[in-house]
PDB file of all heavy atoms in Angstrom:
ATOM      1  N   LYS A 807    -142.281 -71.613  15.990  1.00 98.00           N
ATOM      2  CA  LYS A 807    -143.625 -71.624  15.576  1.00 98.00           C
ATOM      3  C   LYS A 807    -144.527 -70.757  16.600  1.00 98.00           C
ATOM      4  O   LYS A 807    -145.637 -70.293  16.148  1.00 98.00           O
ATOM      5  CB  LYS A 807    -144.192 -73.068  15.401  1.00 98.00           C
ATOM      6  CG  LYS A 807    -143.445 -73.828  14.326  1.00 98.00           C
ATOM      7  CD  LYS A 807    -144.014 -75.277  14.365  1.00 98.00           C
ATOM      8  CE  LYS A 807    -143.343 -76.037  13.352  1.00 98.00           C
ATOM      9  NZ  LYS A 807    -143.670 -77.550  13.388  1.00 98.00           N
ATOM     10  N   VAL A 808    -143.900 -70.705  17.864  1.00 98.00           N
ATOM     11  CA  VAL A 808    -144.628 -69.896  18.820  1.00 98.00           C
ATOM     12  C   VAL A 808    -144.116 -68.381  18.802  1.00 98.00           C
ATOM     13  O   VAL A 808    -144.879 -67.607  19.013  1.00 98.00           O
ATOM     14  CB  VAL A 808    -144.567 -70.591  20.172  1.00 98.00           C
ATOM     15  CG1 VAL A 808    -145.328 -69.804  21.218  1.00 98.00           C
ATOM     16  CG2 VAL A 808    -145.123 -72.015  20.181  1.00 98.00           C
ATOM     17  N   PHE A 809    -142.800 -68.366  18.782  1.00 98.00           N
ATOM     18  CA  PHE A 809    -142.047 -67.099  18.884  1.00 98.00           C
ATOM     19  C   PHE A 809    -142.577 -66.085  17.781  1.00 98.00           C
ATOM     20  O   PHE A 809    -142.801 -64.872  17.974  1.00 98.00           O
ATOM     21  CB  PHE A 809    -140.668 -67.203  18.879  1.00 98.00           C
ATOM     22  CG  PHE A 809    -140.052 -68.002  20.145  1.00 98.00           C
ATOM     23  CD1 PHE A 809    -138.740 -68.314  19.964  1.00 98.00           C
ATOM     24  CD2 PHE A 809    -140.837 -68.152  21.163  1.00 98.00           C
ATOM     25  CE1 PHE A 809    -138.142 -69.017  21.209  1.00 98.00           C
ATOM     26  CE2 PHE A 809    -140.269 -68.835  22.334  1.00 98.00           C
ATOM     27  CZ  PHE A 809    -138.995 -69.209  22.370  1.00 98.00           C
ATOM     28  N   GLU A 810    -142.459 -66.555  16.568  1.00 98.00           N
ATOM     29  CA  GLU A 810    -142.747 -65.720  15.380  1.00 98.00           C
ATOM     30  C   GLU A 810    -144.143 -65.058  15.526  1.00 98.00           C
ATOM     31  O   GLU A 810    -144.114 -63.737  15.394  1.00 98.00           O
ATOM     32  CB  GLU A 810    -142.626 -66.525  14.109  1.00 98.00           C
ATOM     33  CG  GLU A 810    -141.194 -66.745  13.691  1.00 98.00           C
ATOM     34  CD  GLU A 810    -141.286 -67.311  12.142  1.00 98.00           C
ATOM     35  OE1 GLU A 810    -142.289 -67.289  11.468  1.00 98.00           O
ATOM     36  OE2 GLU A 810    -140.161 -67.907  11.800  1.00 98.00           O
ATOM     37  N   PRO A 811    -145.314 -65.780  15.745  1.00 98.00           N
ATOM     38  CA  PRO A 811    -146.461 -64.932  15.730  1.00 98.00           C
ATOM     39  C   PRO A 811    -146.556 -64.028  16.921  1.00 98.00           C
ATOM     40  O   PRO A 811    -147.206 -63.024  16.910  1.00 98.00           O
ATOM     41  CB  PRO A 811    -147.578 -66.035  15.736  1.00 98.00           C
ATOM     42  CG  PRO A 811    -146.759 -67.221  16.194  1.00 98.00           C
ATOM     43  CD  PRO A 811    -145.424 -67.047  15.688  1.00 98.00           C
ATOM     44  N   LEU A 812    -146.012 -64.355  18.072  1.00 98.00           N
ATOM     45  CA  LEU A 812    -145.977 -63.677  19.255  1.00 98.00           C
ATOM     46  C   LEU A 812    -145.186 -62.401  19.122  1.00 98.00           C
ATOM     47  O   LEU A 812    -145.702 -61.166  19.379  1.00 98.00           O
ATOM     48  CB  LEU A 812    -145.559 -64.419  20.515  1.00 98.00           C
ATOM     49  CG  LEU A 812    -146.392 -65.536  20.976  1.00 98.00           C
ATOM     50  CD1 LEU A 812    -145.608 -66.133  22.052  1.00 98.00           C
ATOM     51  CD2 LEU A 812    -147.719 -65.045  21.462  1.00 98.00           C
ATOM     52  N   PHE A 813    -143.948 -62.414  18.489  1.00 98.00           N
ATOM     53  CA  PHE A 813    -143.105 -61.246  18.339  1.00 98.00           C
ATOM     54  C   PHE A 813    -143.655 -60.320  17.177  1.00 98.00           C
ATOM     55  O   PHE A 813    -143.525 -59.117  17.347  1.00 98.00           O
ATOM     56  CB  PHE A 813    -141.599 -61.633  18.135  1.00 98.00           C
ATOM     57  CG  PHE A 813    -141.081 -62.353  19.314  1.00 98.00           C
ATOM     58  CD1 PHE A 813    -140.079 -63.350  19.140  1.00 98.00           C
ATOM     59  CD2 PHE A 813    -141.521 -62.306  20.628  1.00 98.00           C
ATOM     60  CE1 PHE A 813    -139.478 -64.011  20.208  1.00 98.00           C
ATOM     61  CE2 PHE A 813    -140.999 -62.961  21.689  1.00 98.00           C
ATOM     62  CZ  PHE A 813    -139.922 -63.779  21.440  1.00 98.00           C
ATOM     63  N   TYR A 814    -144.136 -60.894  16.186  1.00 98.00           N
ATOM     64  CA  TYR A 814    -144.629 -60.135  15.141  1.00 98.00           C
ATOM     65  C   TYR A 814    -145.863 -59.307  15.545  1.00 98.00           C
ATOM     66  O   TYR A 814    -146.057 -58.147  15.322  1.00 98.00           O
ATOM     67  CB  TYR A 814    -144.970 -61.080  13.876  1.00 98.00           C
ATOM     68  CG  TYR A 814    -145.726 -60.293  12.695  1.00 98.00           C
ATOM     69  CD1 TYR A 814    -144.888 -59.494  12.019  1.00 98.00           C
ATOM     70  CD2 TYR A 814    -147.124 -60.346  12.645  1.00 98.00           C
ATOM     71  CE1 TYR A 814    -145.513 -58.818  10.824  1.00 98.00           C
ATOM     72  CE2 TYR A 814    -147.659 -59.639  11.556  1.00 98.00           C
ATOM     73  CZ  TYR A 814    -146.898 -58.849  10.656  1.00 98.00           C
ATOM     74  OH  TYR A 814    -147.510 -58.063   9.743  1.00 98.00           O
ATOM     75  N   SER A 815    -146.727 -59.960  16.314  1.00 98.00           N
ATOM     76  CA  SER A 815    -148.002 -59.236  16.781  1.00 98.00           C
ATOM     77  C   SER A 815    -147.591 -58.247  17.745  1.00 98.00           C
ATOM     78  O   SER A 815    -148.085 -57.072  17.757  1.00 98.00           O
ATOM     79  CB  SER A 815    -148.931 -60.219  17.524  1.00 98.00           C
ATOM     80  OG  SER A 815    -149.386 -61.216  16.634  1.00 98.00           O
ATOM     81  N   TRP A 816    -146.544 -58.491  18.511  1.00 98.00           N
ATOM     82  CA  TRP A 816    -145.956 -57.431  19.507  1.00 98.00           C
ATOM     83  C   TRP A 816    -145.519 -56.173  18.652  1.00 98.00           C
ATOM     84  O   TRP A 816    -145.882 -55.013  19.091  1.00 98.00           O
ATOM     85  CB  TRP A 816    -144.996 -58.027  20.462  1.00 98.00           C
ATOM     86  CG  TRP A 816    -144.276 -56.945  21.157  1.00 98.00           C
ATOM     87  CD1 TRP A 816    -144.786 -55.994  21.948  1.00 98.00           C
ATOM     88  CD2 TRP A 816    -142.923 -57.031  21.626  1.00 98.00           C
ATOM     89  NE1 TRP A 816    -143.838 -55.351  22.749  1.00 98.00           N
ATOM     90  CE2 TRP A 816    -142.649 -55.952  22.570  1.00 98.00           C
ATOM     91  CE3 TRP A 816    -141.815 -57.728  21.173  1.00 98.00           C
ATOM     92  CZ2 TRP A 816    -141.403 -55.535  23.056  1.00 98.00           C
ATOM     93  CZ3 TRP A 816    -140.557 -57.420  21.521  1.00 98.00           C
ATOM     94  CH2 TRP A 816    -140.363 -56.362  22.642  1.00 98.00           C
ATOM     95  N   ARG A 817    -144.850 -56.502  17.610  1.00 97.00           N
ATOM     96  CA  ARG A 817    -144.199 -55.321  16.800  1.00 97.00           C
ATOM     97  C   ARG A 817    -145.292 -54.505  16.196  1.00 97.00           C
ATOM     98  O   ARG A 817    -145.256 -53.224  16.204  1.00 97.00           O
ATOM     99  CB  ARG A 817    -143.353 -55.816  15.810  1.00 97.00           C
ATOM    100  CG  ARG A 817    -142.613 -54.753  14.980  1.00 97.00           C
ATOM    101  CD  ARG A 817    -141.618 -55.142  13.855  1.00 97.00           C
ATOM    102  NE  ARG A 817    -142.495 -55.845  12.754  1.00 97.00           N
ATOM    103  CZ  ARG A 817    -142.928 -55.018  11.869  1.00 97.00           C
ATOM    104  NH1 ARG A 817    -142.786 -53.616  11.926  1.00 97.00           N
ATOM    105  NH2 ARG A 817    -143.495 -55.478  10.761  1.00 97.00           N
ATOM    106  N   VAL A 818    -146.430 -55.152  15.645  1.00 97.00           N
ATOM    107  CA  VAL A 818    -147.233 -54.411  14.800  1.00 97.00           C
ATOM    108  C   VAL A 818    -148.447 -53.928  15.561  1.00 97.00           C
ATOM    109  O   VAL A 818    -149.077 -52.938  15.238  1.00 97.00           O
ATOM    110  CB  VAL A 818    -147.872 -55.233  13.590  1.00 97.00           C
ATOM    111  CG1 VAL A 818    -146.709 -55.620  12.787  1.00 97.00           C
ATOM    112  CG2 VAL A 818    -148.464 -56.490  14.205  1.00 97.00           C
ATOM    113  N   LYS A 819    -148.708 -54.417  16.873  1.00 97.00           N
ATOM    114  CA  LYS A 819    -149.931 -54.114  17.700  1.00 97.00           C
ATOM    115  C   LYS A 819    -149.502 -53.425  18.971  1.00 97.00           C
ATOM    116  O   LYS A 819    -150.458 -53.182  19.843  1.00 97.00           O
ATOM    117  CB  LYS A 819    -150.683 -55.363  17.781  1.00 97.00           C
ATOM    118  CG  LYS A 819    -151.335 -55.873  16.559  1.00 97.00           C
ATOM    119  CD  LYS A 819    -152.136 -57.160  16.909  1.00 97.00           C
ATOM    120  CE  LYS A 819    -152.756 -57.791  15.648  1.00 97.00           C
ATOM    121  NZ  LYS A 819    -153.448 -58.900  15.868  1.00 97.00           N
ATOM    122  N   ARG A 820    -148.318 -53.335  19.258  1.00 97.00           N
ATOM    123  CA  ARG A 820    -147.937 -52.782  20.653  1.00 97.00           C
ATOM    124  C   ARG A 820    -148.298 -51.214  20.718  1.00 97.00           C
ATOM    125  O   ARG A 820    -148.221 -50.570  19.769  1.00 97.00           O
ATOM    126  CB  ARG A 820    -146.446 -52.977  20.944  1.00 97.00           C
ATOM    127  CG  ARG A 820    -145.476 -52.120  20.051  1.00 97.00           C
ATOM    128  CD  ARG A 820    -144.082 -52.412  20.000  1.00 97.00           C
ATOM    129  NE  ARG A 820    -143.555 -52.241  21.263  1.00 97.00           N
ATOM    130  CZ  ARG A 820    -142.073 -52.393  21.488  1.00 97.00           C
ATOM    131  NH1 ARG A 820    -141.347 -52.653  20.373  1.00 97.00           N
ATOM    132  NH2 ARG A 820    -141.666 -52.383  22.672  1.00 97.00           N
ATOM    133  N   LYS A 821    -148.511 -50.879  22.006  1.00 96.00           N
ATOM    134  CA  LYS A 821    -148.702 -49.461  22.191  1.00 96.00           C
ATOM    135  C   LYS A 821    -147.161 -48.771  22.347  1.00 96.00           C
ATOM    136  O   LYS A 821    -146.233 -49.581  22.444  1.00 96.00           O
ATOM    137  CB  LYS A 821    -149.486 -49.116  23.523  1.00 96.00           C
ATOM    138  CG  LYS A 821    -150.857 -49.630  23.436  1.00 96.00           C
ATOM    139  CD  LYS A 821    -151.828 -49.320  24.613  1.00 96.00           C
ATOM    140  CE  LYS A 821    -153.151 -49.726  24.504  1.00 96.00           C
ATOM    141  NZ  LYS A 821    -153.821 -49.405  25.782  1.00 96.00           N
TER     142      LYS A 821
END
Side-chain angles (χ1 to χ4, degrees):
K807 296 177 182 178
V808 181
F809 293 169
E810 278 188 20
L812 292 178
F813 296 154
Y814 177 76
S815 298
W816 176 40
R817 183 180 76 80
V818 300
K819 298 179 180 179
R820 70 194 296 190
K821 294 182 178 180

